[in-house]
């Protein structure tokens, strides 16, 4: 009956089973709703963090590095670290403010997502979708459940990555785009490996999945993963083989054929090449416990 | 004019500036839409991962560990690792399936979120909100932008934590609840420290923020953070002082008063107690570069 079912795989995700040290993570510091009872302003100050301002009711006006910005409801403005910022809004105005830092564990320095000095790109006009996201954030923030903190954190990540997807490409910092591209490529490669763990996969087939020629795909892999696709795929399978050797009763021959190696000899030779050990010695270590 | 503004802090977030090794992270493996063209079934198999099934059209029926479950549209079912699962659905049925693992870097073993053998709690009936979350996931999965992977990952985290908030408390594993409570307490404490970095904060005031007596708050801090609240707050301030000493031109006296220490003598003494070094020696190391 199984064949009567069509499975549309929506997606396979980020490098399975472990975080990647080049993953970009926004760390949220605070979110606020600011209401001006009367005309009100905030004096000039230098930002240490990113701040996103979303005009909810009436106008919001400010100076960033001495340039003037004027928002109407549903407009969004990005203030960056190091910016000098001062603002003013009329009585009855209301805006949302979200402050965060960007981190990438694999990088020593902080990363910027916005192209510096690209004044136009600080503003997104008529972003209705953000109003819904903000309402969600506000409604969840009332919850006293301990899990609510985690939920808010997820909603804010959604907010950040929605913003990145909405910004025009030329507004994004080149280094940021490069990291996003590389982590995204890496995670797609590992997702492909994962879904073909029990089958074989030629270089041509891998290229086709990525819509690239074998040569182009191979070049990108070497550049981003630091090794050829077939070597990376073998490494991925052998990591799983180690788990099967250590944690299950499957014979070496069964493992070799489960992981779609041509034969046990080929499996053992590849294993020795990577680990300088035979599969049998891993199994023996286990049995020795 | 500043005083004419009311700021409603929606929330301050997870431990600022760094990830916490006890944070719980769902790692998503795949999401699919499954459509049954004719009556169709999937034979009995043992799960290695969590799978969430959400009935979108017509019925979905299955056996988990030999117990029968029947879903109608908008019902949601949780299948856990180690479960034996087999299913059947009528022609025209459609369901969403999401597979993931749970990780917590600070724990060696994997964690479970569902109370084991609590059969009733595997099913949530009439969960309309999940239909919207799934639609969002499906629409974003079409995007070819490299950032779309990050966005999907955020949407799926939102899905997972929404599920946790929707489940009745008794459905959740005790150990899981304990980790969520501890990480949430920890992050709230550090958020409080962060927003009082430039002021002082008595034990009574801290307790009030948490709605606890000083004694109860102090006890919880010692248990979860491993030190008293005032010691943890001093440590937090001194980490920031190190940054100011190394990366700015502020004088030691300015730093001491900026961080609301009673006086420079008290600041230096506290600093020596924590680091076995004087603030001056940190500054000298910097100048020596």
């Amino acid at each position: 009956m199984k064949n009567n079912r069509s499975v549309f795989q929506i997606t396979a995700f980020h490098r399975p089973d472990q975080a990647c040290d080049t993953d970009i993570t926004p760390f949220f510091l605070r979110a606020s709703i600011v209401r001006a009872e009367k005309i009100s302003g905030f004096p000039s100050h230098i930002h240490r963090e990113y701040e996103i301002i979303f005009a909810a009711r009436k106008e919001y006006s400010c100076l960033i590095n001495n340039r003037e910005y004027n928002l109407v409801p549903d407009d969004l403005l990005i203030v960056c670290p190091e910016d000098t910022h001062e603002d003013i809004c009329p009585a009855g105005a209301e805006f949302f403010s979200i402050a965060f830092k960007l981190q990438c564990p694999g990088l020593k320095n902080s990363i910027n997502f916005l192209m510096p000095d690209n004044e136009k790109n600080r503003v997104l006009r008529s972003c209705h979708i953000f109003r819904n996201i903000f309402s969600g954030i506000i409604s969840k923030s009332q919850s006293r459940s301990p899990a609510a903190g985690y939920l808010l954190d997820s909603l804010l990540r959604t907010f950040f990555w929605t913003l990145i997807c909405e910004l025009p490409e030329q507004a994004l910092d080149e280094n940021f785009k490069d990291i996003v591209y590389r982590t995204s490529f890496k995670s797609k490669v590992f997702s492909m490996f994962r879904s073909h763990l029990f089958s074989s996969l030629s270089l041509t087939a891998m290229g086709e999945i990525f819509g690239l020629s074998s040569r182009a795909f191979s070049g990108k892999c070497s550049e981003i993963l630091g090794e050829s696709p077939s070597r990376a795929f073998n490494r991925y399978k052998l990591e799983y083989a180690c788990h099967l050797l250590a944690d299950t009763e499957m014979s070496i021959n069964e493992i070799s054929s489960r992981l779609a190696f041509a034969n046990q000899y080929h499996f053992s030779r590849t294993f020795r090449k990577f680990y300088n050990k035979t599969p049998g010695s891993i199994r023996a270590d286990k049995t020795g416990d």
Side-chain angles (χ1 to χ4, degrees), chain A residues 32-36 40 51 89 93-97:
Chain A
S32 328
I33 309 171
V34 182
R35 288 189 189 106
S40 95
E51 184 183 6
C89 35
E94 189 175 305
F95 63 91
F96 301 118
S97 151

Side-chain angles (χ1 to χ4, degrees), chain A residues 152-283:
Chain A
L152 272 169
D153 196 62
S154 316
L155 290 169
L156 281 152
R157 283 175 190 243
T158 300
F159 163 76
F160 174 76
W161 290 108
T162 303
L163 175 61
I164 297 301
C165 291
E166 290 292 317
L167 282 167
E169 231 206 281
Q170 72 274 16
L172 297 173
D173 177 88
E174 289 301 324
N175 184 39
F176 175 84
K177 275 194 281 193
D178 187 57
I179 300 172
V180 169
Y181 179 79
R182 284 165 178 269
T183 46
S184 150
F185 181 85
K186 224 176 193 171
S187 67
K188 275 185 204 154
V189 170
F190 283 99
S191 294
M192 172 181 73
F193 287 171
R194 186 176 203 285
S195 55
H196 292 81
L197 186 58
F198 305 126
S199 54
S200 54
L201 198 55
S202 70
L203 182 55
T204 318
M206 294 192 203
E208 272 168 15
I209 292 174
F210 276 73
L212 293 171
S213 71
S214 322
R215 195 196 169 95
F217 176 71
S218 192
K220 272 203 190 304
C221 264
S222 303
E223 185 204 332
I224 294 175
L225 304 183
E227 59 188 350
S228 73
S230 57
R231 196 175 154 83
F233 190 33
N234 273 336
R235 183 188 302 283
Y236 189 84
K237 284 189 170 186
L238 292 176
E239 278 170 18
Y240 195 70
C242 286
H243 149 65
L244 295 178
L245 287 164
D247 306 331
T248 74
E249 306 295 321
M250 282 171 79
S251 75
I252 296 177
N253 194 28
E254 280 169 335
I255 294 173
S256 154
S257 94
R258 181 97 174 93
L259 295 177
F261 281 88
N263 53 53
Q264 188 179 337
Y265 170 72
H266 179 233
F267 169 65
S268 294
R269 204 182 42 166
T270 314
F271 196 96
R272 277 204 311 279
K273 222 162 56 182
F274 273 87
Y275 294 116
N276 230 346
K277 277 185 185 175
T278 63
S281 70
I282 306 278
R283 174 54 54 85

Side-chain angles (χ1 to χ4, degrees), chain A residues 8 144 289:
Chain A
F8 167 54
R144 294 190 66 82
D289 280 343

Side-chain angles (χ1 to χ4, degrees), chain A residues 63-74:
Chain A
L63 288 177
I64 300 177
N65 306 330
N66 287 319
R67 196 191 144 105
E68 198 179 325
Y69 295 88
N70 297 297
L71 309 186
V72 297
D74 291 334

Side-chain angles (χ1 to χ4, degrees), chain A residues 93-107:
Chain A
E94 189 175 305
F95 63 91
F96 301 118
S97 151
I98 285 189
F100 63 92
K101 291 187 176 189
L102 266 193
Q103 298 208 328
C104 177
L107 288 183

